[in-house]
Amino acid sequence: MSAGLLALGGPALLAACSSSGGSGESGSVGLTPQGSQLVGLFNYQGNYLVSRTPQRAVFTIASPEGPPALEGPERLTATLSREGVEKGEFELTRFAAGTPIGYYPLFTTFDQPGIWGLTTVLDGEESTQNFQVQEPSQVALIQPGQAMVPVTTPTFDDARGVTPICTRDPQCPLHERSLAAVLAEQRPVALLISTPLYCATAVCGPVLDMVMAEAAARPDLAVVHAEVYLDPAAGSDPGAGGTSPAVEQFGLTFEPSLFVARADGTVTARLDNVFDTVELAQALDGATA
């Protein structure tokens, strides 16, 4: 992975990751400038969504110029389909508290792999985002219900070859203990993998700040931050020197991503690409419930 790791999450690809209309038979996408479009803020081409496991897929509305629209309806009615066959209607709620991108998360379980699509009406016209759903065995990404991976993440005392261990300015305080050490103590834990300085979107810094605020208010929850790149300042491409062990072990091809686990190490929630203060609080509550 290189700097493209960031772009795979979606926001940096808003100019190229929406499809309008279409039969649902193709995974190809293209944003037309004629009106607002429904856009998936995730890797719609694959290695992300899986079947038979509860999934969270985040969408936004792109303006005719490409970037996310600053405003949007509080709710969207959308139809989910697989290769042209309708699978159900959903009402999607807009989230935007504390994040620069307003978004609509879809929560569902895809019953089988294939090319799926989500269709809604924007500016009086149908807009469809097609995306790939795969077998769980084909996607390395850690899923809710699986075990947290006990990665020895960099700390202030031991950078473990990652420089810097935090690209926030000033550095965040979430590097006191490694993820492996916290898991060994059987404490509820949250792991945020993000790089505020080298992120290809405007999301990574704000979500880290949100996580820091929640961590300060939750002494019963251990919160760890891990950077994405080993040595991003070493060359013109931040990813040239490789990615951190957390990125590799959790199967990420994008960032930011937040993993939340109970004291027994079972992942209860995963928030990818963008989330707001409301979703964050709900996810963290689940670790200590």
Side-chain angles (χ1 to χ4, degrees):
M1 285 179 289
S2 67
L5 171 138
L6 308 179
L8 289 178
L13 290 183
L14 284 181
C17 65
S18 153
S19 64
S20 179
S23 66
E25 297 291 332
S26 171
S28 63
V29 290
L31 182 64
T32 60
Q34 281 72 35
S36 299
Q37 298 288 310
L38 184 69
V39 176
L41 297 182
F42 55 89
N43 186 2
Y44 58 85
Q45 293 179 323
N47 294 321
Y48 184 66
L49 294 172
V50 301
S51 61
R52 301 188 301 279
T53 300
Q55 300 289 282
R56 171 187 179 266
V58 175
F59 298 82
T60 193
I61 298 173
S63 66
E65 294 76 24
L70 296 179
E71 303 293 337
E74 288 303 306
R75 290 176 176 80
L76 288 178
T77 299
T79 301
L80 187 65
S81 61
R82 179 185 179 275
E83 300 180 0
V85 178
E86 291 191 7
K87 291 289 189 174
E89 188 173 275
F90 292 79
E91 184 175 73
L92 308 183
T93 300
R94 187 174 190 267
F95 289 79
T99 181
I101 298 176
Y103 66 93
Y104 302 84
L106 168 70
F107 299 96
T108 192
T109 299
F110 303 103
D111 60 359
Q112 56 187 311
I115 301 297
W116 291 68
L118 190 70
T119 301
T120 192
V121 176
L122 300 172
D123 300 334
E125 300 287 339
E126 279 195 353
S127 178
T128 298
Q129 170 70 78
N130 292 323
F131 50 89
Q132 178 77 50
V133 176
Q134 294 169 269
E135 292 283 356
S137 61
Q138 296 177 318
V139 178
L141 184 61
I142 297 296
Q143 302 290 329
Q146 295 181 334
M148 204 80 146
V149 183
V151 179
T152 304
T153 53
T155 64
F156 293 121
D157 293 331
D158 187 351
R160 304 190 67 82
V162 176
T163 179
I165 64 167
C166 186
T167 61
R168 184 181 183 272
D169 185 18
Q171 289 187 335
C172 82
L174 306 179
H175 301 271
E176 292 287 349
R177 310 200 64 199
S178 76
L179 177 64
V182 172
L183 288 172
E185 295 178 352
Q186 296 188 325
R187 294 181 59 191
V189 62
L191 169 69
L192 176 67
I193 302 174
S194 72
T195 179
L197 182 59
Y198 295 96
C199 187
T201 75
V203 173
C204 309
V207 297
L208 176 54
D209 288 344
M210 285 190 282
V211 170
M212 287 171 53
E214 283 286 344
R218 297 173 181 262
D220 56 336
L221 180 72
V223 182
V224 176
H225 170 229
E227 279 285 332
V228 170
Y229 301 114
L230 290 177
D231 189 4
S236 58
D237 180 354
T243 52
S244 71
V247 169
E248 303 296 333
Q249 292 297 312
F250 279 84
L252 295 184
T253 56
F254 59 90
E255 61 100 9
S257 185
L258 178 78
F259 296 83
V260 182
R262 294 193 299 261
D264 66 359
T266 302
V267 176
T268 57
R270 196 188 76 227
L271 300 178
D272 301 326
N273 298 300
V274 62
F275 52 87
D276 76 344
T277 56
V278 176
E279 274 206 291
L280 174 59
Q282 292 172 348
L284 297 182
D285 286 345
T288 55

